[in-house]
Amino acid sequence: STRTPVRIARGSYSNLNGSISDLQDGEISYAEDQNKLYIKEGSALVVLTQSAANPVFTGNATFDTNTLFVDGTNNRVGIGLTAPEVSLHLKTSSGNCKLRIDAAATPAIEFYEAGTRNSDIMVDHSNNELIITNRQNASINFRTNGANERVRIDSSGRLLVGVTSSSSVYGLHHQLQVEGTNGATSSISLTRNSNSASPPYLTFGKTRGTSDGSNTIVQDGDALGTISFNGADGTNKDHM
């Protein structure tokens, strides 16, 4: 369609007649019938659309060299660089690179997958607790040295070290499970460092209460603790 562009060159303005495809570097054209402003910058064409006082930019945009760059081709935003590799890419050429979330109440990061809230990280405004939540029926995994899993909290709240799924020992799926293929990876150590003759402790507690934190008195005949040694019988490790 025919447009009436305005050319900005050498500090002067001159009216031109032509079409959008004829725009040259540094020219601006306003299409009144489309309510769009076309700006030619090099080989790129930037389009500003105004609808109900809400402008929409089309194309790449650079603000203050590399302070903020919008990659309109790949739908990415770069802060500190002009070639963002992900949806939001932050980079500094020197010093630290920080992302700050400053909320009046609860600061949080929410993770969604296909519109479904999956997980989040937040600070509880009421008590300043840091909360990491997996809202799905799945685990939270901690990895180091690449993709090597070290610790897992499964969907039932069990802490698993060296293993990715809970197994039964003595007929129980224990809250803390350590499993490995040698002495170092299948052991637990307790060390006390103090200038005294006192040792470290492994303690067992028992109450007659029915909720956590109870101190209901025990009764005669109650078993206060068990240490069991269970060997696999080819099927499981549930028997002593």
Side-chain angles (χ1 to χ4, degrees):
S1 59
T2 301
R3 304 287 180 263
T4 303
V6 176
R7 171 178 291 168
I8 304 175
R10 297 186 181 89
S12 63
Y13 296 80
S14 60
N15 293 326
L16 300 174
N17 292 319
S19 64
I20 297 302
S21 61
D22 297 327
L23 281 179
Q24 303 299 313
D25 184 21
E27 292 183 354
I28 300 175
S29 176
Y30 177 67
E32 185 176 4
D33 57 336
Q34 297 178 358
N35 208 20
K36 293 181 178 179
L37 182 68
Y38 295 86
I39 305 173
K40 190 67 175 290
E41 181 181 357
S43 59
L45 182 65
V46 179
V47 183
L48 172 62
T49 303
Q50 181 177 352
S51 177
N54 295 316
V56 178
F57 290 90
T58 302
N60 298 341
T62 301
F63 300 87
D64 189 24
T65 309
N66 64 346
T67 298
L68 177 65
F69 176 76
V70 178
D71 182 350
T73 302
N74 298 301
N75 296 323
R76 299 169 179 170
V77 175
I79 298 177
L81 76 164
T82 57
E85 299 178 5
V86 293
S87 297
L88 176 61
H89 191 164
L90 283 68
K91 181 180 180 180
T92 58
S93 57
S94 63
N96 299 325
C97 186
K98 299 180 179 180
L99 175 65
R100 175 177 295 183
I101 300 177
D102 192 347
T106 298
I109 301 176
E110 298 179 352
F111 300 92
Y112 280 73
E113 183 176 354
T116 299
R117 188 176 179 182
N118 190 298
S119 305
D120 48 67
I121 303 173
M122 60 175 286
V123 176
D124 193 324
H125 175 65
S126 62
N127 53 26
N128 291 323
E129 291 182 348
L130 176 64
I131 300 175
I132 302 174
T133 305
N134 184 347
R135 297 186 177 275
Q136 307 304 309
N137 185 24
S139 62
I140 296 177
N141 306 334
F142 298 87
R143 302 179 180 184
T144 65
N145 192 23
N148 295 299
E149 182 176 319
R150 306 304 186 187
V151 177
R152 171 184 295 238
I153 302 174
D154 70 9
S155 58
S156 297
R158 293 179 287 248
L159 181 63
L160 311 179
V161 181
V163 65
T164 58
S165 61
S166 173
S167 62
S168 174
V169 178
Y170 195 49
L172 301 171
H173 285 266
H174 302 275
Q175 284 299 101
L176 171 61
Q177 299 181 34
V178 178
E179 189 169 330
T181 57
N182 55 45
T185 58
S186 58
S187 57
I188 300 174
S189 67
L190 299 174
T191 302
R192 175 170 177 165
N193 299 289
S194 61
N195 187 17
S196 70
S198 300
Y201 295 94
L202 178 63
T203 61
F204 299 85
K206 169 73 169 84
T207 79
R208 280 273 179 160
T210 57
S211 61
D212 292 340
S214 298
N215 287 295
T216 305
I217 190 171
V218 296
Q219 298 181 12
D220 290 342
D222 285 358
L224 302 184
T226 298
I227 297 178
S228 66
F229 297 85
N230 301 76
D233 59 9
T235 301
N236 55 49
K237 300 179 288 291
D238 290 342
H239 307 287
M240 296 178 62

